[in-house]
Amino acid sequence: MHLKTINLKFTIKQYLSACMLLALVSVNAQNNSQDSTLVITDSDNITRENLTKKDTVEKFTRRKADGIAAVIGDYLILDSDITKMREDAETQGVSSGEITNCQLAGRLMENKLYAHHALQDTTVIVSDQEITGMTDQQISRMVSQIGSMEKLLDFYRKEDEQGLRDELFKINKERRLSSIMQDKIIEGVEITPEEVRSFFNRIPEEDRPKFGDEVEIAQLIIKPEVPKEEEDKVVDRLNEMRDEILDGSSFSTKAVLYSEDATSARGGQMTITREDALDKDFKQVAFSLREGEVSKPFKSQFGYHIIQLDKVRGQKLDIRHIILIPKVTEETVKAAKDKIEDIRKEIVEGEISFDEAARKYSDEKETRGDGGQLINPKSGDTRFELTDIDPMIYEKVNNLEKDEVSLVLMDQNRTGQKFFKIITLTQRYPEHIADYAKDYTKIKELALREKQFEAIEKWQNEKISETYIKINGAYKDCDYNSNWLKN
């Protein structure tokens, strides 16, 4: 852990990224989805068995003119992959002088090594359906950003949409395999309080990180009431759809036409596990179904659903769902705003504390029991760095004094349902040098990450020694952190 390389004002995430510049570059490249790496196919007439043969080594030497920088197991790394990775990093603000082609090549080789061994591991399962869903979402998002499919094809220099889908499918599958393999390597890594203390004590005082301004926030939410007649309309419509589906209509088609969330574009298709951060009622219904069964309409915190279970794959379910969201009325919206204005007035005038008001009135079940206190999903504690706060409310929070209550704000959830909220600042922590007692959670995260790095390094060293690796041209002269050259 090279603490002298960090910007002491970085958040934990930025701090870790600075410690691993190559990881940052890799993420930037993935976000831009321009990696052109190809998986070896049968048409290449290359198998893992004959990769060890002398004539195959000679074949790769002859093909270096085609731009093959390295071979890692079943995967190729092209010169163009390294070039694109550099371009992607530069578009994200990384100076070309900060990274070398050798570093980029090393990072790509790590990704290929993970993916290669994921393919050999029978416990790592990545379905084509899952990757197709990811690719559909990716293309939909990119078309929205760039303006049209024609512009997107031109950007990627593809003749047709299917060619683009095929390439992105290969890229996404490799990345998913790599990600699962990395998670598998570190899943059993734990850290004790004594290890955390030892980690902190090893950091010289002058090198200890400085944490930026942090705040603790609580919120109280009031949602406009949905009239019962609107709920009844939605349930009746879902029952009609269910009857039609049971009579042979396509669930997928109805999801495309009527479902009111982002999954509608892919026919309501989802792959879920019990660990996913989904509504508990949604998961309970999904995991109670048999393959092919269609649920009756049920309510979640987002709306009303029906679910069809397509397939059970171990701990994962391939499902389709349709969500319809009952509509609020102008009258119920006004009533909700008036209610929260009255609650705010009570708090400001000292008739009730914010904590008591949130416990009594808030419509947000997740925070109501804690007096509206928010939990930072990144760290698991109650502190938020100001730079991590939603820009929409940053100004409101930044200007609040401790225990001051914001004006009424309007917000909406991911399905577009509007609600009202007020926010209070329960605590403010000025910028400070890391303190073991005050910042234990952050320090523990750093110590755990270091231990995970060590586990990954050990795994890499073991797998490099048993994996076919061929490095070509100038990349033979690189000084890699890992023993890719097997010297």
Side-chain angles (χ1 to χ4, degrees):
M1 183 67 67
H2 305 295
L3 293 166
K4 291 184 180 181
T5 66
I6 68 171
N7 179 333
L8 297 180
K9 294 184 180 179
F10 278 7
T11 62
I12 290 296
K13 181 177 179 181
Q14 292 167 316
Y15 167 70
L16 293 171
S17 297
C19 291
M20 288 192 68
L21 175 62
L22 298 184
L24 171 66
V25 173
S26 174
V27 169
N28 290 334
Q30 291 181 24
N31 286 342
N32 283 277
S33 304
Q34 296 182 57
D35 183 352
S36 65
T37 305
L38 302 177
V39 180
I40 297 174
T41 64
D42 293 340
S43 62
D44 291 299
N45 195 27
I46 300 170
T47 64
R48 288 172 49 238
E49 289 74 16
N50 67 25
L51 279 172
T52 60
K53 296 180 181 179
K54 180 179 178 182
D55 60 340
T56 303
V57 174
E58 293 173 352
K59 179 177 181 179
F60 280 120
T61 302
R62 291 195 301 272
R63 288 183 60 184
K64 181 63 181 72
D66 294 335
I68 299 176
V71 182
I72 307 294
D74 291 338
Y75 291 92
L76 300 179
I77 297 174
L78 307 180
D79 287 334
S80 60
D81 298 328
I82 297 168
T83 300
K84 285 187 176 182
M85 199 175 191
R86 174 176 293 283
E87 292 172 352
D88 295 336
E90 289 174 354
T91 62
Q92 296 293 325
V94 178
S95 170
S96 59
E98 294 182 54
I99 49 177
T100 67
N101 282 350
C102 290
Q103 289 174 314
L104 296 174
R107 183 58 186 172
L108 282 172
M109 287 191 283
E110 289 178 12
N111 289 340
K112 310 306 178 191
L113 187 71
Y114 294 134
H116 171 74
H117 283 282
L119 288 173
Q120 321 307 316
D121 190 331
T122 57
T123 65
V124 175
I125 301 173
V126 177
S127 72
D128 286 354
Q129 186 178 26
E130 177 184 356
I131 303 304
T132 297
M134 289 172 59
T135 303
D136 289 345
Q137 281 186 300
Q138 186 179 15
I139 289 176
S140 177
R141 184 173 62 251
M142 290 191 295
V143 167
S144 176
Q145 292 172 343
I146 204 168
S148 68
M149 177 59 72
E150 290 72 20
K151 290 181 180 179
L152 188 62
L153 294 175
D154 183 60
F155 180 78
Y156 279 99
R157 298 185 291 277
K158 293 294 179 182
E159 293 183 0
D160 54 43
E161 183 179 341
Q162 190 58 50
L164 175 62
R165 287 184 177 278
D166 290 345
E167 179 167 339
L168 291 178
F169 181 92
K170 291 178 182 179
I171 294 168
N172 288 332
K173 186 165 187 177
E174 178 197 318
R175 287 177 181 157
R176 184 69 181 130
L177 287 167
S178 176
S179 175
I180 293 175
M181 196 70 240
Q182 291 179 67
D183 290 343
K184 186 177 176 66
I185 295 166
I186 65 175
E187 66 182 357
V189 178
E190 298 179 346
I191 196 159
T192 66
E194 184 55 39
E195 288 175 313
V196 177
R197 181 180 292 278
S198 176
F199 168 84
F200 182 74
N201 289 337
R202 291 200 312 269
I203 307 173
E205 285 191 21
E206 64 273 16
D207 290 334
R208 287 177 182 170
K210 181 184 288 185
F211 298 121
D213 289 337
E214 295 175 307
V215 292
E216 291 182 343
I217 308 167
Q219 68 181 19
L220 186 157
I221 286 176
I222 299 296
K223 300 176 182 178
E225 186 176 345
V226 177
K228 187 176 186 305
E229 55 266 27
E230 292 295 325
E231 292 186 333
D232 291 343
K233 285 180 187 178
V234 164
V235 172
D236 290 344
R237 182 70 186 103
L238 286 172
N239 273 319
E240 289 175 12
M241 289 188 197
R242 181 175 184 270
D243 291 341
E244 291 168 1
I245 291 166
L246 294 178
D247 285 340
S249 293
S250 167
F251 193 108
S252 178
T253 299
K254 290 192 179 299
V256 170
L257 293 174
Y258 304 114
S259 189
E260 297 182 78
D261 76 346
T263 65
S264 63
R266 56 180 188 276
Q269 184 183 68
M270 297 175 65
T271 297
I272 67 171
T273 70
R274 291 186 184 275
E275 287 70 41
D276 289 340
L278 298 170
D279 180 271
K280 65 177 183 179
D281 294 319
F282 186 93
K283 285 195 289 188
Q284 182 177 350
V285 172
F287 280 91
S288 70
L289 297 174
R290 298 184 300 273
E291 284 193 10
E293 187 178 3
V294 181
S295 75
K296 293 181 179 179
F298 68 94
K299 184 179 182 180
S300 78
Q301 62 179 311
F302 300 109
Y304 285 83
H305 311 253
I306 54 173
I307 296 176
Q308 181 178 53
L309 176 57
D310 286 345
K311 188 174 183 181
V312 179
R313 295 187 293 107
Q315 300 301 311
K316 296 182 179 181
L317 300 184
D318 292 334
I319 67 170
R320 295 182 186 275
H321 87 111
I322 296 171
I323 178 173
L324 297 183
I325 303 169
K327 303 300 185 285
V328 297
T329 65
E330 290 184 11
E331 290 76 14
T332 59
V333 170
K334 183 179 184 304
K337 187 174 182 182
D338 289 344
K339 180 179 179 179
I340 199 168
E341 290 280 12
D342 290 342
I343 294 169
R344 180 183 184 278
K345 183 179 178 182
E346 286 185 47
I347 297 170
V348 170
E349 294 181 353
E351 297 177 21
I352 189 172
S353 70
F354 193 100
D355 180 276
E356 291 170 331
R359 294 175 189 273
K360 183 176 181 180
Y361 297 117
S362 183
D363 289 330
E364 186 174 52
K365 294 179 182 179
E366 295 82 0
T367 62
R368 186 170 58 204
D370 295 319
Q373 189 73 57
L374 297 181
I375 302 297
N376 189 333
K378 292 182 180 179
S379 62
D381 65 11
T382 55
R383 295 191 191 182
F384 292 81
E385 289 209 17
L386 281 173
T387 52
D388 286 344
I389 294 175
D390 184 340
M392 296 293 290
I393 64 171
Y394 170 84
E395 184 179 348
K396 307 291 184 184
V397 171
N398 191 39
N399 293 331
L400 288 179
E401 298 294 334
K402 184 176 181 297
D403 295 328
E404 185 181 359
V405 181
S406 72
L407 297 175
V408 172
L409 308 172
M410 179 180 279
D411 204 342
Q412 63 183 36
N413 63 21
R414 63 181 179 84
T415 58
Q417 293 173 298
K418 291 181 173 57
F419 58 88
F420 298 99
K421 66 182 177 182
I422 52 176
I423 299 169
T424 190
L425 193 68
T426 58
Q427 193 59 264
R428 184 185 290 274
Y429 301 90
E431 183 178 78
H432 62 281
I433 300 296
D435 178 275
Y436 181 77
K438 294 179 181 178
D439 303 303
Y440 179 81
T441 301
K442 289 186 176 67
I443 295 165
K444 179 182 178 181
E445 183 180 344
L446 295 176
L448 177 61
R449 186 59 59 93
E450 183 185 62
K451 193 170 181 180
Q452 290 171 338
F453 286 163
E454 291 170 354
I456 287 174
E457 184 178 21
K458 179 181 178 183
W459 181 91
Q460 281 186 5
N461 290 334
E462 292 174 354
K463 297 305 180 183
I464 286 173
S465 65
E466 64 187 58
T467 304
Y468 176 82
I469 296 172
K470 177 72 172 73
I471 299 175
N472 293 315
Y475 297 103
K476 292 180 180 179
D477 300 324
C478 292
D479 183 16
Y480 298 109
N481 290 328
S482 300
N483 188 25
W484 294 107
L485 297 169
K486 299 187 179 182
N487 294 327

